[in-house]
Structures are given as structure tokens and as C-alpha cells.
């Protein structure tokens, strides 16, 4: 056995395999077709996001006729179909409209929500409530989709409000009470950017004073408006500069006016024209730059990470869900669900028992009332019966009296007739006797 193994080893060493010589003689040189690494991940994300498309939702809050629709048309350089609102709305109504826009190869699902009738009522105390209810309803819809067993967030139409453009009327020296109250109620629900509408109706000096006054009142009343982020170095400088220009004084127009040798969007007056895209005339370019080109994604992110998370946390806490237990130890969602389910069943049984007891008490009260009514009816019946018997007795007595009177009358009549007959008979006999006497 050992001799066979030695012969085999010697044969392998003296006659090596040809394949080994081929590998040593012909080595392949591999060349890379591109960079190998994960720095292409952003490109992959961009491609996926572009293919999926984006959504952006704008809430326009302002009085009727302040120029909300015109500014939206100017902002996106298109004409959106919008029904003209009147000043005779009984309550504030929110009218959302969704449009599919495309710029280059980027698709945007834009939703514009108008507050119809805002500020037109005599009593404006509850004008902000329909707006809050609408914002919460969009948060609730998204939360319901998140809590589903089979979610479809990939193709879900997100209707959460990303930005609220609050239109301030330029016909005053400060903010109105309804403006302060509404913005204070909305600042924890949505990103607010205040804009002074129809800025061409006031002079530049008055406009500067109005801006200072508006910002001073917002700060003094604790209203938190959206501040352009300065954490990113790429946009920190421009955002920091634009924060000092808030609120933006804007002018909207969809009319093309010839100024010099080119056509521009402007408002034409007898004394001249106000160019929408001229930064010396208004802040429309600044608003468009900040809203669409620089900070659109940050607005979407702030809506999800700040406002929606606040709503979600409060809603789940109301439902009884918590991150940790009393001993600061995490517990499972199933345990929380079971505990909440038991609480709900106990509460349901308690309410059922209360309703059953309430029903029993109600039945007893009704029976007591019916017995009382029955007793009253019986007493009334007895009283009517007695009255009927008394009346019957009285009628019987009157009937007997009448019968006696009739009998007496009949007797008197018979007597009278008898007397009359006798009298007539006596009268007829007297002439007969006289004739007899004459004959004699």
C-alpha cells in the first residue's frame, strides 16, 4: 500500500498537469469599466425619485379678492381653472384642486387649496377652524394609510399641506386680529410664509414700514413662521439673506406687457408698469426662488418630520400607545394593543351596563307615568260616570214632572171638553123648548 502511494507521488512530481503551465503562462488582465463604489447611490435615488414623481401642496389663506389665484398662476406660469368666489359665503370653505405639471423630465402633482369666504363673515371668531380641520384631515388620512396592514405609500397621493402662503392685505398699518389668531393657530400645523399681496398699491417707504410692523407683531405674539434653513452650506448664504426680507411683498399678473424690446409679466397703469419679475418692483422673484428652486424639498421634509410627527405622536398617545412603560422599558405593540383592547372592552361593558340601567330606569319611570295617567283617567271616568248618573237622575225627575204635567193637562182638557159639551147641549135644548111654547 505504501509502495503504491510513493509511485503515485513520484509520477505527479515528474509529470505535472498541463493546465498549471497554461495558467502560469497566459494571465488575463482585467480592466474596470467604471468606478467601483457606492458613490453612485445618489444618482440611483435621483433616478428613482424622478421616475416616481413629486407632489407639492400649497394652502392659500387670505381674504376674497386679495389675489391668491393670480399669484398661483404667475408662480407656475400657467392658468389654473378656478371658480371666482363671491363675498357672500356663510362660512369658510376649502376648495382643493390638483394639477399634473411637467418641467423637463420632472413630473409634479400640484395641489392648490383656496380658502373661499375667509374674512367675509361678520363674526370672524371661528374662521380658522375649517382650515385646521382640513389640515388635520389630511394628516389623519396619511396616518390611516400608515397603520394599514397592507400599505401603499409608494403610490399614495400625499395631500398633506407643505406650505401655507398667508396673504396680508396692504390697506392697513399692521396685522388684523383675524390674521394674528389664524397664524397662531396654524403655526404648529403647517409651514407659514407671510406675503403682502398687491404690493404695488402702497409706496416703497410705506411697504418697508409695513414689513417691519408685521414682523414685530408676529414676534411679540409668538407666531412661529417658516424660516429658510441655514444648516446646508450650499444654500446657507442665500437663505440667511432671504430670511431678512420676510414677509415678501408680491405682485401677480398673467398679462404680457411689452417693455423695451421684450415681453414681460407686468401690470400696466396709466403712469407706467409694475414688472412682476423685477426685484426693484416687488419680491415675487425672491418668493419663487425660495419656494420652488431652493427650499421645496425642505418644506416637504419639515411637513413630514415636524408637523406630521407632532400630530402622529399626539394621536397615538390619545389611542394609548407609548414608547416605554412605567419602568422605562420598551414593550411590544401587541401588548399595547391587547391592553388597549381590554380597556376598550371594560369601557364598553361599563357603558352597556349604564345604558341597560338607564333603559330599566326609563321603563320604570314610563310605567310609573302610565300608572299615574291610568289613575287619573280612572278618576276622571268615575267623575264623569257620577256626573252622568246625576244628569240622568235629573232628567228622569224632569221627565216624571213633565209626564205629571201632561197627565194633569190631559185631565183638565177632558174636563173642559166635558163642560163644553154639556154647555152646548144645554144651549141646543133651550131654543127647542121656546118653539114648543109658541106652538101651544
Amino acid at each position: 500500500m505504501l509502495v503504491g502511494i510513493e509511485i503515485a507521488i513520484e509520477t505527479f512530481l515528474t509529470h505535472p498537469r498541463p493546465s498549471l503551465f497554461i495558467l502560469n503562462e497566459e494571465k488575463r488582465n482585467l480592466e474596470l469599466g467604471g468606478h467601483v463604489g457606492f458613490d453612485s447611490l445618489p444618482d440611483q435615488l435621483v433616478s428613482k425619485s424622478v421616475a416616481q414623481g413629486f407632489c407639492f401642496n400649497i394652502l392659500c389663506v387670505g381674504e376674497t379678492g386679495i389675489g391668491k389665484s393670480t399669484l398661483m398662476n404667475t408662480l407656475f406660469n400657467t392658468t389654473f381653472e378656478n371658480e371666482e368666489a363671491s363675498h357672500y359665503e356663510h362660512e369658510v370653505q376649502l376648495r382643493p384642486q390638483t394639477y399634473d405639471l411637467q418641467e423637463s423630465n420632472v413630473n409634479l402633482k400640484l395641489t392648490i387649496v383656496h380658502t373661499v369666504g375667509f374674512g367675509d363673515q361678520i363674526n370672524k371668531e371661528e374662521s380658522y377652524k375649517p382650515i385646521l380641520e382640513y389640515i388635520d384631515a389630511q394628516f389623519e388620512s396619511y396616518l390611516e394609510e400608515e397603520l394599514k396592514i397592507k400599505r401603499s405609500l409608494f403610490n399614495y397621493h400625499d395631500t398633506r399641506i407643505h406650505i401655507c402662503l398667508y396673504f396680508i392685505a396692504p390697506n392697513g398699518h399692521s396685522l388684523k386680529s383675524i390674521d394674528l389668531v389664524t397664524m397662531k393657530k396654524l403655526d404648529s400645523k403647517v409651514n407659514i410664509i407671510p406675503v403682502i399681496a398687491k404690493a404695488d398699491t402702497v409706496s416703497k417707504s410705506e411697504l418697508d414700514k409695513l414689513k417691519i410692523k408685521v414682523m414685530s407683531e408676529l414676534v411679540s405674539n409668538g407666531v412661529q413662521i417658516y424660516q429658510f434653513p441655514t444648516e446646508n452650506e450650499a444654500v446657507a448664504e442665500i437663505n440667511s439673506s432671504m430670511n431678512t426680507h420676510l414677509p415678501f411683498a408680491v405682485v401677480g399678473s398673467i398679462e404680457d406687457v411689452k417693455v423695451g424690446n421684450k415681453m414681460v409679466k407686468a401690470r400696466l397703469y396709466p403712469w407706467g408698469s409694475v414688472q412682476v419679475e423685477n426685484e426693484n418692483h416687488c419680491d415675487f422673484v425672491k418668493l419663487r426662488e425660495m419656494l420652488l428652486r431652493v427650499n421645496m424639498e425642505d418644506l416637504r421634509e419639515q411637513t413630514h418630520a415636524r408637523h406630521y410627527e407632532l400630530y402622529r405622536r399626539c394621536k397615538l398617545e390619545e389611542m394609548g400607545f407609548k414608547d416605554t412603560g412605567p419602568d422605562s422599558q420598551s414593550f411590544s405593540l401587541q401588548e399595547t394593543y391587547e391592553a388597549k383592547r381590554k380597556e376598550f372592552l371594560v369601557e364598553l361593558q361599563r357603558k352597556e351596563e349604564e345604558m341597560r340601567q338607564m333603559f330599566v330606569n326609563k321603563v320604570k319611570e314610563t310605567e310609573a307615568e302610565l300608572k299615574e295617567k291610568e289613575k287619573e283617567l280612572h278618576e276622571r271616568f268615575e267623575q264623569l260616570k257620577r256626573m252622568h248618573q246625576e244628569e240622568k237622575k235629573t232628567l228622569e225627575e224632569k221627565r216624571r214632572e213633565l209626564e205629571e204635567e201632561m197627565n194633569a193637562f190631559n185631565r183638565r182638557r177632558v174636563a173642559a171638553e166635558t163642560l163644553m159639551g154639556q154647555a152646548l147641549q144645554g144651549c141646543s135644548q133651550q131654543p127647542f123648548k121656546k118653539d114648543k111654547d109658541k106652538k101651544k
Side-chain angles (χ1 to χ4, degrees), residues 177-420:
S177 299
I178 186 175
D179 298 330
L180 289 171
V181 172
T182 304
M183 282 193 277
K184 183 62 178 176
K185 295 292 183 180
L186 293 179
D187 62 357
S188 62
K189 301 284 186 180
V190 67
N191 303 312
I192 300 177
I193 295 182
V195 295
I196 301 175
K198 298 183 177 180
D200 55 335
T201 59
V202 294
S203 64
K204 190 172 182 60
S205 60
E206 291 177 347
L207 193 59
D208 293 336
K209 293 179 182 178
L210 181 58
K211 281 187 175 185
I212 296 173
K213 185 66 174 178
V214 167
M215 290 304 298
S216 175
E217 290 190 350
L218 291 177
V219 172
S220 61
N221 287 276
V223 178
Q224 300 293 328
I225 64 174
Y226 176 73
Q227 294 289 321
F228 303 118
T230 57
E231 293 81 9
N232 189 355
E233 295 181 358
V235 295
E237 184 178 355
I238 185 173
N239 281 347
S240 178
S241 174
M242 290 302 171
N243 282 330
T244 62
H245 287 83
L246 290 173
F248 293 129
V250 297
V251 176
S253 176
I254 56 174
E255 297 180 2
D256 291 323
V257 178
K258 187 174 182 180
V259 177
N261 297 324
K262 60 179 182 179
M263 302 296 292
V264 296
K265 299 290 183 183
R267 298 184 69 88
L268 192 61
Y269 294 97
W271 45 262
S273 61
V274 176
Q275 300 177 31
V276 173
E277 297 184 352
N278 190 333
E279 295 191 41
N280 294 323
H281 292 181
C282 67
D283 297 331
F284 173 79
V285 174
K286 296 182 178 66
L287 174 64
R288 184 178 62 185
E289 190 85 355
M290 292 293 97
L291 189 63
L292 303 182
R293 193 182 72 86
V294 180
N295 297 302
M296 178 182 283
E297 182 57 30
D298 185 73
L299 289 167
R300 287 158 42 89
E301 182 181 350
Q302 286 290 325
T303 298
H304 181 81
R306 179 186 170 193
H307 301 295
Y308 170 69
E309 283 299 321
L310 177 62
Y311 175 84
R312 177 179 175 275
R313 184 184 67 190
C314 296
K315 196 70 175 179
L316 292 180
E317 287 179 352
E318 289 178 4
M319 296 169 63
F321 294 98
K322 297 180 181 179
D323 292 333
T324 58
D327 53 354
S328 299
Q329 293 183 358
S330 60
F331 52 90
S332 65
L333 185 64
Q334 182 67 23
E335 293 177 356
T336 305
Y337 169 76
E338 291 296 335
K340 194 65 180 178
R341 184 173 180 272
K342 290 180 181 179
E343 291 179 5
F344 175 75
L345 291 176
V346 171
E347 183 68 16
L348 185 63
Q349 291 177 357
R350 186 183 65 81
K351 289 186 177 181
E352 184 179 357
E353 182 64 24
E354 287 181 357
M355 293 185 67
R356 190 185 67 79
Q357 191 63 34
M358 186 184 301
F359 176 75
V360 171
N361 295 335
K362 204 71 176 177
V363 170
K364 290 181 178 179
E365 291 177 1
T366 305
E367 288 179 350
E369 290 178 359
L370 290 175
K371 289 181 179 179
E372 188 68 24
K373 293 290 184 182
E374 184 180 2
K375 184 178 179 181
E376 292 179 0
L377 288 174
H378 184 70
E379 292 177 355
R380 181 66 177 169
F381 173 74
E382 292 295 332
Q383 183 180 1
L384 292 175
K385 186 177 179 180
R386 289 193 299 270
M387 292 175 61
H388 175 69
Q389 290 176 353
E390 292 176 359
E391 291 178 356
K392 184 177 180 181
K393 184 177 180 181
T394 303
L395 290 174
E396 288 291 335
E397 293 178 354
K398 288 184 178 180
R399 186 176 66 82
R400 285 195 297 270
E401 291 177 357
L402 288 173
E403 288 179 352
E404 291 176 358
E405 290 180 357
M406 289 176 63
N407 292 332
F409 176 75
N410 290 330
R411 288 194 297 271
R412 288 195 298 270
R413 188 185 65 179
V414 170
E417 290 177 351
T418 303
L419 292 173
M420 188 177 292

Side-chain angles (χ1 to χ4, degrees), residues 11-120:
T11 304
F12 177 78
L13 294 175
T14 56
H15 299 86
R17 289 179 298 177
S19 59
L20 293 176
F21 288 100
I22 294 174
L23 288 175
N24 291 331
E25 292 177 358
E26 299 179 2
K27 294 181 179 179
R28 291 189 301 168
N29 295 323
L30 298 178
E31 296 182 359
L32 299 178
H35 180 71
V36 178
F38 51 83
D39 61 349
S40 62
L41 183 59
D43 297 331
Q44 299 175 31
L45 293 176
V46 169
S47 301
K48 184 178 179 180
S49 299
V50 169
Q52 182 180 357
F54 302 90
C55 67
F56 193 61
N57 308 315
I58 303 176
L59 171 65
C60 299
V61 181
E63 300 173 357
T64 304
I66 203 171
K68 301 184 293 292
S69 301
T70 304
L71 183 64
M72 290 298 102
N73 293 338
T74 311
L75 197 62
F76 293 94
N77 195 24
T78 186
T79 301
F80 298 118
E81 295 180 1
N82 188 30
E83 183 180 352
E84 186 175 352
S86 65
H87 290 272
Y88 304 102
E89 299 290 341
H90 297 291
E91 58 182 3
V92 180
Q93 299 178 359
L94 278 82
R95 185 182 299 164
Q97 292 178 321
T98 303
Y99 309 94
D100 293 321
L101 306 180
Q102 184 175 4
E103 185 175 337
S104 298
N105 62 335
V106 178
N107 295 318
L108 178 67
K109 187 179 288 292
L110 175 68
T111 300
I112 301 176
V113 184
H114 290 283
T115 53
V116 181
F118 181 79
D120 291 338

